[in-house]
Amino acid sequence: MALADFFSKSRQDLRVVIDIGPGFIRAVIFELIPQKKNPSILKKMVLRLAPSITAPRAIAKFREFLFLAIKELGRVPEKIVLSVAPPFAEYALENVAVEPSKTPLINSRRDLDEYFQKFFAGKDVLRRTLFAYPLEFFINKYPIDPSVLIHPENITINELGFSALLTYLPQEAGEFMEEAKESLGSLSLGFIPLVVAEKEAIQKNLGLKDVFLVDLGRDATVLSLIKEGGLARVSLFPVGLNHFLEDVAKKSSLTPEEAGDFARQYAKGLLGDSQKIKLENSFMQIADIWKKAFLQEVDSFYHVGNIPPNIALFGEGAYVPEISVILRDPNWIRNVSYAATPQVKILSGNSFFEGDSLGGALQGPEDTGLASLIIYSMDQK
């Protein structure tokens, strides 16, 4: 039975989340059911991308992918949340203080949101599209909850400021987003940086307000510092799972897919001694490269404060045992933290739902992004 036939019986609250990254486009179609804590997963869709695919071509694939999902649903879902991961997207944090003489008249949260969007309008750079996501607002140099603007008459605004996460996407992505909003309805399609969705999910569902995130992706590793519930810094370096697999494939005359299967067997302890030693030597060499790049990036975090002892490791390459060994070594954290020993936890998709994989849709560390997007979407009314 087609999904459209199933949905025709009643009007469900249907949602779609899509994660675009190197190697794959992942999506989940789910339903929110009243009085139920967890969503009901209707379908998980995974599209493999060629290793050499360009960002514009990946966006074109996403266009086909999205409309295929909508065709199968038979209607536009209530919410579609899209995220694009590095290297297709570039992140930058920006703090802005508005000059007192230029402080706008703010009488509501809507005024604040409109000013934020206008501030970044027109800041797109050549061949790239900018999405600005507000992280925190400041009034008179103090962080505020925008809900206080329900009674603006009680607040005198002398100085306005805000921090934002800027996400730069290829120009084709921005053009497609505008086209999709027009055809689907502007209220249906929304974009969020994956690192923000992960921050929100880790804070809300795991209760961690001070944590250092290590997202070991296919082509790069993204490092994020969450401090007192806020995103203090984001950085990345271009060493990811592919670097491990390419070395294994080259030395063992394997395809990338075969190297991936070989690596997972190694991580699970399923290889014989000779095969294990061969792969271990290969992984240790790449792990040394990863460690050097990691330590260099970690040093850049020190100016925003101590790195907390809680370390969350996830992403497609989180299963590589050598990475866990590096992160659990206390030597690296002593120079950038008040903690003597790091507490490393490998997150999986089911970590966010108390071990529930939601019918098998969310399982390993590679599903952490999807799980975070689902949680973010559930909070959107």
Side-chain angles (χ1 to χ4, degrees):
M1 180 173 63
L3 287 176
D5 295 334
F6 177 77
F7 295 134
S8 64
K9 297 178 181 179
S10 61
R11 181 77 178 185
Q12 286 95 344
D13 185 351
L14 300 179
R15 312 220 169 180
V16 178
V17 296
I18 304 175
D19 177 17
I20 303 177
F24 294 92
I25 296 177
R26 293 184 172 90
V28 168
I29 301 171
F30 64 97
E31 175 189 2
L32 295 185
I33 302 175
Q35 285 77 53
K36 282 196 174 184
K37 182 179 179 181
N38 291 341
S40 174
I41 304 297
L42 302 173
K43 188 167 186 178
K44 180 179 181 180
M45 305 168 69
V46 179
L47 174 66
R48 185 182 294 273
L49 300 176
S52 59
I53 194 169
T54 62
R57 182 58 183 154
I59 296 300
K61 284 287 186 181
F62 160 69
R63 181 199 300 262
E64 301 169 8
F65 192 77
L66 174 60
F67 285 102
L68 176 63
I70 292 175
K71 181 179 180 181
E72 193 161 352
L73 286 174
R75 66 176 175 87
V76 177
E78 275 64 30
K79 292 290 181 183
I80 302 169
V81 176
L82 165 68
S83 184
V84 182
F88 296 152
E90 296 179 30
Y91 293 146
L93 281 170
E94 183 165 330
N95 296 308
V96 175
V98 181
E99 295 179 22
S101 61
K102 297 181 179 179
T103 298
L105 182 63
I106 302 293
N107 290 318
S108 67
R109 171 62 192 267
R110 181 178 179 179
D111 291 342
L112 192 62
D113 289 340
E114 287 181 353
Y115 179 77
F116 178 87
Q117 296 302 327
K118 287 180 180 178
F119 183 88
F120 286 104
K123 289 183 178 288
D124 293 2
V125 295
L126 183 63
R127 299 295 300 166
R128 295 197 299 177
T129 298
L130 169 66
F131 288 92
Y133 189 90
L135 297 173
E136 195 167 23
F137 290 101
F138 299 86
I139 288 181
N140 305 333
K141 298 184 179 180
Y142 290 94
I144 61 108
D145 182 340
S147 64
V148 303
L149 296 175
I150 294 175
H151 302 289
E153 66 275 5
N154 298 328
I155 301 173
T156 300
I157 302 178
N158 297 317
E159 186 175 332
L160 177 67
F162 47 83
S163 62
L165 179 64
L166 310 184
T167 304
Y168 293 96
L169 299 178
Q171 186 178 12
E172 293 85 353
E175 292 172 352
F176 168 71
M177 290 284 285
E178 292 304 318
E179 292 173 8
K181 283 186 177 182
E182 289 180 8
S183 59
L184 301 177
S186 60
L187 296 179
S188 296
L189 180 63
F191 173 84
I192 184 172
L194 186 58
V195 67
V196 175
E198 290 165 348
K199 175 192 82 74
E200 296 290 341
I202 286 171
Q203 184 175 340
K204 178 181 177 182
N205 284 42
L206 303 183
L208 296 175
K209 293 187 176 182
D210 294 279
V211 59
F212 188 62
L213 310 184
V214 181
D215 181 357
L216 206 171
R218 184 159 288 262
D219 288 341
T221 299
V222 180
L223 306 178
S224 310
L225 175 60
I226 301 177
K227 196 173 180 183
E228 297 180 355
L231 191 60
R233 180 170 172 79
V234 180
S235 181
L236 67 82
F237 56 92
V239 184
L241 176 63
N242 273 344
H243 295 76
F244 290 87
L245 300 186
E246 287 170 1
D247 194 67
V248 171
K250 181 179 178 181
K251 292 178 179 177
S252 302
S253 300
L254 300 173
T255 65
E257 290 76 16
E258 291 170 337
D261 292 338
F262 199 38
R264 281 185 284 273
Q265 292 179 50
Y266 164 69
K268 294 177 181 179
L270 301 177
L271 296 181
D273 289 342
S274 61
Q275 290 180 315
K276 177 183 176 182
I277 292 172
K278 186 176 182 179
L279 198 143
E280 193 173 64
N281 290 335
S282 177
F283 268 27
M284 286 181 67
Q285 291 178 15
I286 305 302
D288 285 341
I289 296 173
W290 187 94
K291 181 180 179 180
K292 183 178 180 180
F294 170 74
L295 293 178
Q296 185 174 346
E297 286 300 321
V298 164
D299 285 342
S300 70
F301 279 75
Y302 188 67
H303 75 279
V304 295
N306 288 317
I307 289 179
N310 292 317
I311 313 296
L313 171 63
F314 53 92
E316 287 190 70
Y319 68 82
V320 176
E322 284 74 10
I323 300 301
S324 296
V325 172
I326 291 171
L327 294 177
R328 290 190 169 97
D329 184 346
N331 290 322
W332 74 268
I333 203 171
R334 288 173 181 166
N335 295 326
V336 291
S337 175
Y338 55 83
T341 305
Q343 305 297 317
V344 181
K345 181 178 178 61
I346 300 178
L347 301 182
S348 295
N350 59 11
S351 300
F352 296 87
F353 296 95
E354 300 177 339
D356 187 347
S357 67
L358 304 185
L362 304 176
Q363 297 188 28
E366 70 278 4
D367 286 330
T368 296
L370 274 182
S372 300
L373 292 173
I374 289 173
I375 292 168
Y376 173 81
S377 176
M378 290 173 66
D379 287 339
Q380 305 304 301
K381 304 303 182 185

